[in-house]
Every structure is written in structure tokens, then in C-alpha cells.
Amino acid sequence: MKRVLPVLLSILFALALLEGALQLVYRVRAGDWLAHRTALPIYRETDSGFALKPHLALEHRTGEFRTHLFTDAHGFRVAAAGDEVARDKPECAWRVMLLGPSFAFGWGVEYEETFLAQLGDRLRAAAASGGAGGAAGDAKIDLINAGVPALGPIQQLEWFRREGAAYRPDLVIQLVYGSYAVSRAYSDGLVPDERGYLRPATVSRADRLRAALKRSAIVFHVWAATNRLRGGEPKAIEGAGRPIATEEDPAEVGEALAFYEDLRTTVEAAGAELLVVYLPLSWRVHPEDTARWRHLGVIDPEASAASDAAWRERLARADVPVLDLTDALLAEAAKGERLYYSVDIHWTPKGHGVAAREIAGRMLEQH
């Protein structure tokens, strides 16, 4: 023991020094500690599970981006502190309401870089040139970003039925990522704590240990390195906390189809049009990302493409309008630009720009 103990203490001391150095490097590069890389205290509890706190004003910094997040009194993301979304639609306004998770909210980009803000710019330019047609015409373009990171589509539909319809949108965009299949289980297990962080409703000791380890810079860098080498064949892909099945279950297909039909009829009953916008995860667009997704699930581009095609046919038969962004994102990525961040899974400003272009094109074609 006299020989072993000094060795163990030396190893622990070296690990502590290494951890401190790596944490400091991340702090200098990102402007914040590693523990805050994905967790933000931005949530409050609601009848639909959770929503964004009102009157947020904070800076979100990682090694890849630096953004500013503001919300109004309703918890909608806005461009600047003090901006407010009116519940009553302004006179002669054409209102677009966006529902969706973090991709809709605009995680990792400034408000002006989100695809909703860029979509508004495109529609206003088209209206000014006389090309907006019936979509907006001479009306003022009014935007509501009701996206809530990690909130599932079924919970968002409940919110729209209870509160969102009162804003009288003319167009409702529901953003879906990774898979067309949606499930109530996506968000039901998450609750905000007293500080505003999301956590599982039930937390085990293993969950606490895993959360603590994720705050370690050594674990983070080892994890990132081993992901490039690791294979494995789990049953599901995890994306932004959402389990995405690689094989379709008839019961899940039925649940998802019922959701989309309910979404369409609810939006139409509110006097609005619906557009479901689908986007793939980064490995589908940037094949070089496949290695870092391996530990999260089976990556099979052909199976994923076949599943997406089957879902588009199902939704077409159900008269649910869908815009799939996959081909547009693939074509843009072929030019050599990153549309998704390399570590964070979300869109870069360029990715948002592709979405805004495609959605605007779809709207202008139809009107």
C-alpha cells in the first residue's frame, strides 16, 4: 500500500490537472463552462408539459456559436428584449405561426438568422415586387415563433388547441425532424425543475451519475474521440433527446397518422392553412457525421430514405401538406458548406437559409 497509494494519488492529481486544463480551454473558447453546453435554464411548467419562460434575455455560447435569446410575455422567441407579440392579429396582417422543437426555435443562431425570420424577409420582398400573390398580397407579414426546444408535436398541438388558435394565424408550420413518426412519449417524461432546467420526471442514481460524468471535460473529449471509432447496433437513433425507431411499428404508425389528421383538422378549424416541414438529422446530409452518430443508433441511409418516402405517401393520402427539405439540404451540402454544426446537432445559419428558401418557394408556388 505504501507503494500503491502515492501512485494513485499522483494519477488522481494528474487527472485533476488535466480536467481543469480542459475545462479552462473550453471556457476560453466558448465563453461558458462545458456543463452549460446544452442545458439552459429557460423553461417553465405548463398544462402541456413545459414552455419557455417569459421575458428571457440571455446569451448562449458554445465552442461553435454565440447567440442571444429573448422571449416576450408569452414565451415566444423575439428579436430583442422588449419586443412583444400581440395576441390580436394586426389589421391587414398575414400571420405565420411556427410550431416545432429546437430547430424551429433557432437553437444556435440569432433571431434574424432563423428560417422563420428569413422566410418573413423573403415573403416581404415578394410582396413588394408583386410576387406574393394570395399568400400575403399587400398584407403585412406577421411572424410568431412558438417553437419550444425538446417539446414534442403532440404536446404542441395541445397548446395550439388551447391557446395558439386564439392568435388567428393564417399559416401554421409544424416542423418535424429525424422521422415523420411522432409519439406522445417524446416529451411526456420531461419536466422543468425550480431553476428552469429540463430533467426526466423520474431520475435514478444511474441518471445522476451519467449527468455528472457529462460535465467532465475528460469524458467529453474521450466520448467525442471514441465515437469516431465505435460501431454498434442499438435499436434506435437518439436525436436531440428524441428516440427515432429504425423499424416501423404498426401501432406507432397509426398513432402518428392520427396525430397528423388531428393537426390538419384542428388548424383548418382555426381558419388557417397547415404546412408540415420535415428535415433529416445531420448524418443524412453530411456523411462525414456518421461516425459521431454510430453510438446512438443504426445508421442506414437507404432504410431512412425508404421510410421517409412511405410517410410522404401516407400523408399525401391523408391530405396533409408536407415539404421535405432533405433533397434541398443534400444539394446545398454538396457545394461544400456546413448546414449543421459539427458538434451541436442543429442547423447553422446556412441551414436555416435553405429552409427559408424552400418554404418561401412552396408558398409562392401555391399562391
Side-chain angles (χ1 to χ4, degrees), residues 270-284:
E273 297 179 61
L274 170 68
L275 178 62
V276 174
V277 176
Y278 170 80
L279 66 114
L281 290 169
S282 71
W283 59 266
R284 184 85 180 278

Side-chain angles (χ1 to χ4, degrees), residues 329-343:
L329 291 166
L330 284 168
E332 197 69 30
K335 300 176 183 178
E337 294 193 63
R338 289 289 310 190
L339 307 181
Y340 298 72
Y341 290 111
S342 296
V343 175

Side-chain angles (χ1 to χ4, degrees), residues 47-228:
D47 292 338
S48 59
F50 54 88
L52 294 174
K53 290 179 180 179
H55 303 303
L56 282 173
L58 56 86
E59 184 180 64
H60 185 196
R61 297 178 67 176
T62 74
E64 293 183 292
F65 56 77
R66 175 180 178 180
T67 61
H68 300 83
L69 307 178
F70 303 100
T71 61
D72 71 351
H74 309 289
F76 299 137
R77 187 174 184 185
V78 291
D83 289 356
E84 294 290 336
V85 174
R87 181 175 292 273
D88 295 331
K89 185 167 61 176
E91 188 175 352
C92 299
W94 196 78
R95 175 168 273 181
V96 180
M97 175 176 281
L98 173 61
L99 305 177
S102 48
F103 281 95
F105 171 78
W107 188 281
V109 298
E110 297 286 7
Y111 177 87
E112 294 78 11
E113 296 170 325
T114 65
F115 78 84
L116 183 64
Q118 295 188 58
L119 174 63
D121 292 339
R122 286 178 174 272
L123 293 179
R124 293 184 190 100
S129 64
D138 296 327
K140 174 186 176 183
I141 305 298
D142 191 57
L143 307 173
I144 300 179
N145 188 335
V148 179
L151 188 64
I154 293 177
Q155 292 81 359
Q156 289 170 334
L157 174 56
E158 292 173 355
W159 173 84
F160 180 82
R161 186 179 284 115
R162 190 179 63 253
E163 297 182 40
Y167 290 85
R168 295 171 50 224
D170 297 285
L171 173 68
V172 173
I173 299 174
Q174 172 67 63
L175 196 71
V176 179
Y177 74 89
S179 169
Y180 285 94
V182 298
S183 171
R184 170 166 291 281
Y186 174 26
S187 300
D188 272 356
L190 299 173
V191 294
D193 64 17
E194 65 280 357
R195 296 177 298 167
Y197 290 100
L198 277 187
R199 62 171 178 81
T202 57
V203 183
S204 66
R205 290 182 179 178
D207 292 328
R208 292 191 178 94
L209 177 60
R210 191 179 300 112
L213 289 174
K214 285 181 177 179
R215 298 188 182 97
S216 165
I218 295 175
V219 171
F220 172 77
H221 286 92
V222 170
W223 168 83
T226 55
N227 284 348
R228 297 183 177 90

